[in-house]
Amino acid sequence: MLKLNVHIDQFSGFCFGVVYAIEMAEDILNEEGHLYCLGDIVHNDEEVKRLTKKGLIIINHEELKNLTNEKVLIRAHGEPPATYELAIKNNLILVDASCPVVLKLQNRIKNSFDKDENIYIYGKHGHAEVIGLLGQTRNKAVVFQDINELDLENIPKNITLYSQTTKSTDKFYEINNILKDNGITINTNDTICRQVSNRDKELRGFAAQFDHIVFVSGTKSSNGKVLFNVCKEKNPQTYFVSCPEEVDPNWFKTGQSVGICGATSTPMWLMEKVEETIKKL
């Protein structure tokens, strides 16, 4: 045995929005035995598998169009107005587990749209949350995930800037400064969730304490990719796994220390299983 010193980061794991959605889903599954969910309830395959075994049925928007007289969970990412309109048409009961931070952002963007402001959203193209935000503007807002996507010479001289809730705070303000330096007047709205953004600093401190870091996350998690890179920058001996079976014994040497951490979409039970696997090496 390698006799590794293994420690889980107790601050890693689900953010409160994901906890809220999963608890809501489990309550209904325990009572009714099945529940439809529009999109993966969380970007973690292992957690989705656990819940589908309990009766959660993942559907996409095309399948939603053909669903009637059922109960459907709206996950933490939120949805555009069109989804709620379809629910009324198809006699669907929506169990709305949209994150309160996301709902507040949707309302702010809708107010800006009603005032005919030029809305720009810093976010990932095609991300579920961003689709919901765009829906508040009838898909007229401009979404960009890199400043290089914008033609700075030709965009409006007055814009209202928002951000997807899970983006980097540092990057958001870097973009804000570049826009200002190009003579653009900005109504800046910092709409980044601090429970997510503060993980950067916390994880840098955590990653520096160990010989190796094993970062546990679903491959679909945008937040997971960002936080993995944060750890990797601080500790080059950082490895990405989505399940315990992906742990490689060749990463470690006898007596070394190993820190385990994860994304805001990573369940604690999964990090604990990874811990058990490493301790048996």
Side-chain angles (χ1 to χ4, degrees), residues 234-252:
K234 193 66 182 178
N235 186 336
Q237 305 303 314
T238 295
Y239 313 101
F240 186 103
V241 301
S242 56
C243 62
E245 290 75 20
E246 293 177 359
V247 172
D248 186 346
N250 295 316
W251 292 338
F252 317 112

Side-chain angles (χ1 to χ4, degrees), residues 159-255:
I159 69 170
T160 297
L161 180 65
Y162 288 98
S163 173
Q164 178 182 337
T165 61
T166 53
K167 299 302 280 184
S168 161
T169 309
D170 291 344
K171 190 70 176 175
F172 176 74
Y173 280 102
E174 180 185 318
I175 288 167
N176 190 70
N177 290 334
I178 292 172
L179 291 169
K180 284 182 178 178
D181 290 344
N182 280 268
I184 297 163
T185 301
I186 312 164
N187 173 16
T188 303
N189 296 270
D190 182 346
T191 51
I192 296 169
C193 176
R194 287 305 186 266
Q195 188 178 3
V196 174
S197 66
N198 287 344
R199 295 295 298 128
D200 288 30
K201 184 177 180 181
E202 292 167 353
L203 277 182
R204 284 190 184 96
F206 181 80
Q209 298 175 41
F210 302 90
D211 296 317
H212 301 274
I213 293 294
V214 175
F215 189 88
V216 187
S217 173
T219 55
K220 297 177 185 176
S221 172
S222 300
N223 168 256
K225 290 170 185 172
V226 170
L227 294 182
F228 167 72
N229 286 324
V230 165
C231 292
K232 187 81 172 175
E233 286 171 12
K234 193 66 182 178
N235 186 336
Q237 305 303 314
T238 295
Y239 313 101
F240 186 103
V241 301
S242 56
C243 62
E245 290 75 20
E246 293 177 359
V247 172
D248 186 346
N250 295 316
W251 292 338
F252 317 112
K253 293 180 181 178
T254 303

Side-chain angles (χ1 to χ4, degrees), residues 83-138:
T83 298
Y84 295 87
E85 292 164 8
L86 179 63
I88 294 171
K89 177 183 173 184
N90 286 9
N91 195 36
L92 298 170
I93 298 172
L94 293 184
V95 180
D96 200 339
S98 299
C99 173
V101 177
V102 173
L103 287 178
K104 184 178 179 180
L105 172 54
Q106 287 186 351
N107 289 332
R108 289 177 68 177
I109 288 179
K110 177 66 166 60
N111 288 336
S112 290
F113 179 70
D114 290 342
K115 295 175 185 174
D116 293 323
E117 296 175 8
N118 296 310
I119 301 169
Y120 282 69
I121 302 172
Y122 170 48
K124 181 181 179 183
H125 296 293
H127 190 280
E129 180 190 324
V130 173
I131 291 170
L133 301 179
L134 262 177
Q136 309 305 316
T137 71
R138 298 177 191 165

